[in-house]
Amino acid sequence: MPTAILTGSPVPGSSIEADLRSLGFDVRTAADAGDAETLLAAVPADQRVAVVDARFVGHEHALRLGLTDPRFPLAAIPGAVTAQPAGRQALTRAMARENSASGGTVLAVGSLADRVVTALGADDVDVHRPELGSLVAEVPADPQARNEARQAVAAVDDEDVRLKSAVKARDGFFTTFCISPYSRYLARWCARRGLTPNQVTTASLLTALIAAACAATGTRAGFVAAGVLLIASFVLDCTDGQLARYSLQYSTLGAWLDATFDRAKEYAYYAGLALGAARGGDDVWALALGAMVLQTCRHVVDFSFNEANHDATANTSPTAALSDKLDSVGWTVWVRRMIVLPIGERWAMIAVLTAVTTPRITFYALLIGCAFAATYTTAGRVLRSLTRKAQRTDRAAQALADLADNGPLTELLVRFLPGSPRVTGPLSAAVGAVLVTLGAWAWGPGWWVVLMAGGYVLLSAEAVAHPLKGALDWLIPPLFRAAEYGTVLILAAEADVNGALPAAFGLVAAVAYHHYDTVYRIRGNAGAPPAWLVRALGGQEGRTLLVALLAALLTASHFKVALTVLAVAVAVVVLVESIRFWVAAHKGGAPAVHDEGEPA
């Protein structure tokens, strides 16, 4: 149980002790600075501890924001400071210095908590200070100020503030106006019944899988049920994040589950639609796989661009300035958010089209919408990159190299290539991607495609043979994704045998999971997947060459079996390692994260 140490002179009628207990703190009272230091030392090192001024006046939610958020080792609001195990040493040092400065006297004047925060700042220690907005948090200096503070507390409904702050600050139009107005109340209902965000996330996944199963029936009733359940799954998907913000239940494992399950839900639904269409005699597996490839490449564009510019200096451009100017006009904000087809708009469109049309029409609309969105966002980011004068860091270059997912073939070839800076990396990646995919399209399975894949391997190595700090080097990972996934899609379609495209769908899904997992590790500051895993999977260039070889060497039916075996092998390896890593990180007390991810 976390411990709160009350310092300073107690105030008759104050609710601070009751508020702290309602937040789960074991409350102890210090007679003076020396006693506070002694009580601090007595708290077990693996527990959260807070130092709070007994004269504090404010909303309970202000205390919750300041003292219970698991994402920050040290946090403070006026009159209170808290430390998790990672921040205990810094807090103990600051407390000892303040105790020495005050001579251990009774804490009647000034706030020990505030002085400790000042001392932490002097030590250049990062202390999180939550944005309180209209919430009150202060230590009044006299009875008149106390009365005024209490009146200010009474004037603001902190539960209303808490509910509003549970909603993501930047969401799509559909989510903002059609989901969040009621899903936040569902989040509060879940919180009051002790449900966790991870449980709601799991419920969302199960609902989406049932929706996919309904779509797989191929009946009109099944399609209607699938559309309704997909929307229900999305409501729960919004609710889990709102529950996390409402109750401050952030965790590393939760962020991973939320992000991973979003992809699993959408792609499982694509498979369900394809199965349902097949029952009606319409083969749309190529469209389903194409939608997955396009959507995954869109996400990689987002991830790569953000990582490349995460900590870039002089990060300005005329394009960015124009974007900011457009955002100042209210209606353009919503139009620009909608045309990129975020998850809310995308799932709403899929659900409605599933219920009233056919899987083929649904996939056509999805492909057209995603293609337009991808073109719009990628073009804007290319313009920003070309017009901004930014210095990108070694960390950004390493993140892009990790996202590239190069294997042993590239590692070997890079040793023989000069590593001096140049601007040809994106061009090499683009030429290689066009070479291998057009070769597969033009010649189908055969040795010409193997030759093209060999050229792609060489060009992949050339693309990453230098630090990825160029203006457009963030395009390299999405170009690699398009080349690998596109080659698998085209060769499976050219095989023209029953089951080849579903097998290819499974393979791309397994590899995409590995690529998403890499992103989430980087976002969680956990580094890239282990080198042995990347080598065992062959890297993106090795897998592309292997699929081309299998297509050339095997008959169509044997190629289908090979794709299935490869899909199962990749899925088993990446899932086992990923689950092991994230569960270990959660149990090992890794810093909690809350990745807002794709706009809902």
Side-chain angles (χ1 to χ4, degrees):
M1 175 181 289
T3 299
I5 300 171
L6 277 180
T7 65
S9 302
V11 178
S14 173
S15 64
I16 183 61
E17 191 168 341
D19 289 343
L20 289 170
R21 286 202 170 95
S22 72
L23 295 176
F25 284 93
D26 177 24
V27 181
R28 302 175 187 177
T29 303
D32 53 37
D35 191 23
E37 186 177 0
T38 301
L39 291 173
L40 176 63
V43 177
D46 61 346
Q47 294 183 8
R48 176 190 287 275
V49 64
V51 179
V52 183
D53 196 297
R55 298 166 295 173
F56 176 89
V57 175
H59 289 99
E60 182 180 329
H61 191 50
L63 285 171
R64 181 181 291 106
L65 291 172
L67 303 183
T68 68
D69 196 322
R71 295 174 294 174
F72 309 102
L74 289 158
I77 58 175
V81 60
T82 185
Q84 294 199 79
R88 280 289 295 278
Q89 189 175 4
L91 180 65
T92 300
R93 285 199 306 267
M95 174 75 83
R97 189 156 69 250
E98 286 306 307
N99 184 25
S100 175
S102 66
T105 58
V106 175
L107 304 174
V109 179
S111 170
L112 176 63
D114 290 342
R115 296 204 306 271
V116 167
V117 172
T118 300
L120 289 168
D123 290 340
D124 202 24
V125 175
D126 187 23
V127 180
H128 172 67
R129 291 175 174 81
E131 181 64 47
L132 297 180
S134 60
L135 297 175
V136 176
E138 58 182 272
V139 180
D142 53 58
Q144 181 180 347
R146 176 172 299 279
N147 287 334
E148 292 173 354
R150 286 174 172 169
Q151 291 172 9
V153 170
V156 175
D157 184 350
D158 70 337
E159 177 60 21
D160 184 58
V161 173
R162 188 182 180 190
L163 264 179
K164 289 179 179 178
S165 62
V167 177
K168 191 186 296 185
R170 185 182 182 276
D171 253 337
F173 181 89
F174 177 75
T175 307
T176 299
F177 294 103
C178 301
I179 304 295
S180 292
Y182 58 88
S183 62
R184 56 184 174 181
Y185 294 101
L186 178 58
R188 182 172 66 181
W189 183 90
C190 293
R192 291 178 174 177
R193 281 151 185 81
L195 298 177
T196 67
N198 290 353
Q199 291 170 332
V200 178
T201 300
T202 303
S204 176
L205 173 66
L206 293 175
T207 305
L209 293 180
I210 296 171
C214 290
T217 63
T219 64
R220 177 53 52 195
F223 288 147
V224 172
V228 172
L229 287 170
L230 187 63
I231 293 297
S233 174
F234 182 64
V235 171
L236 291 173
D237 183 51
C238 295
T239 300
D240 63 3
Q242 291 165 357
L243 175 59
R245 285 182 286 272
Y246 181 85
S247 55
L248 300 184
Q249 296 184 71
Y250 303 126
S251 71
T252 298
L253 181 63
W256 171 70
L257 286 175
D258 184 43
T260 302
F261 284 4
D262 277 353
R263 306 285 74 78
K265 288 180 287 189
E266 186 166 3
Y267 298 157
Y269 192 83
Y270 292 175
L273 278 178
L275 288 170
R279 286 181 178 272
D282 190 11
D283 186 353
V284 296
W285 275 106
L287 298 178
L289 180 50
M292 181 166 67
V293 170
L294 181 55
Q295 188 57 36
T296 304
C297 289
R298 275 189 65 196
H299 283 144
V300 178
V301 167
D302 295 340
F303 299 147
S304 296
F305 180 80
N306 290 335
E307 288 302 325
N309 296 283
H310 176 69
D311 46 10
T313 58
N315 202 8
T316 60
S317 75
T319 308
L322 175 60
S323 177
D324 292 339
K325 186 175 181 180
L326 288 174
D327 280 345
S328 65
V329 182
W331 64 271
T332 65
V333 174
W334 296 114
V335 171
R336 295 172 71 214
R337 289 186 189 180
M338 291 173 67
I339 62 176
V340 299
L341 208 62
I343 187 171
E345 276 74 3
R346 191 167 69 249
W347 282 26
M349 180 184 74
I350 294 171
V352 171
L353 291 177
T354 297
V356 302
T357 65
T358 65
R360 179 172 291 274
I361 292 174
T362 301
F363 280 124
Y364 280 149
L366 182 62
L367 286 165
I368 292 170
C370 286
F372 177 81
T375 302
Y376 171 78
T377 55
T378 304
R381 285 167 179 172
V382 168
L383 286 174
R384 289 190 183 201
S385 299
L386 292 175
T387 56
R388 84 176 18 135
K389 305 298 182 181
Q391 296 296 320
R392 292 170 177 84
T393 64
D394 292 337
R395 177 209 169 278
Q398 184 58 54
L400 291 180
D402 293 336
L403 290 173
D405 188 35
N406 295 298
L409 289 177
T410 293
E411 289 180 1
L412 179 63
L413 290 170
V414 163
R415 297 177 185 176
F416 301 98
L417 293 172
S420 56
R422 54 191 181 279
V423 296
T424 56
L427 179 61
S428 298
V431 171
V434 170
L435 191 70
V436 69
T437 52
L438 280 187
W441 185 279
W443 291 297
W447 291 105
W448 276 110
V449 178
V450 175
L451 180 62
M452 297 299 101
Y456 171 70
V457 171
L458 291 172
L459 288 166
S460 294
E462 201 283 332
V464 297
H466 66 290
L468 302 183
K469 294 184 177 181
L472 295 178
D473 282 357
W474 58 269
L475 284 170
I476 292 174
L479 286 168
F480 285 169
R481 297 298 85 79
E484 180 183 359
Y485 301 164
T487 300
V488 174
L489 166 60
I490 294 169
L491 290 178
E494 293 284 347
D496 197 25
V497 63
N498 240 2
L501 279 167
F505 188 96
L507 175 58
V508 172
V511 175
Y513 176 89
H514 165 61
H515 290 145
Y516 280 115
D517 189 57
T518 301
V519 169
Y520 304 141
R521 293 191 193 214
I522 293 172
R523 282 185 166 184
N525 295 318
W532 71 261
L533 177 65
V534 177
R535 294 191 182 107
L537 297 176
Q540 57 85 21
E541 81 290 355
R543 289 188 299 272
T544 305
L545 180 59
L546 175 61
V547 171
L549 277 169
L550 291 173
L553 290 170
L554 303 176
T555 64
S557 58
H558 288 159
F559 179 56
K560 174 190 71 176
V561 174
L563 286 179
T564 303
V565 172
L566 189 58
V568 172
V570 171
V572 169
V573 172
V574 298
L575 281 171
V576 169
E577 161 56 22
S578 176
I579 293 171
R580 180 210 63 79
F581 170 80
W582 289 104
V583 171
H586 179 70
K587 291 182 177 178
V593 297
H594 183 62
D595 181 11
E596 295 286 2
E598 181 188 5

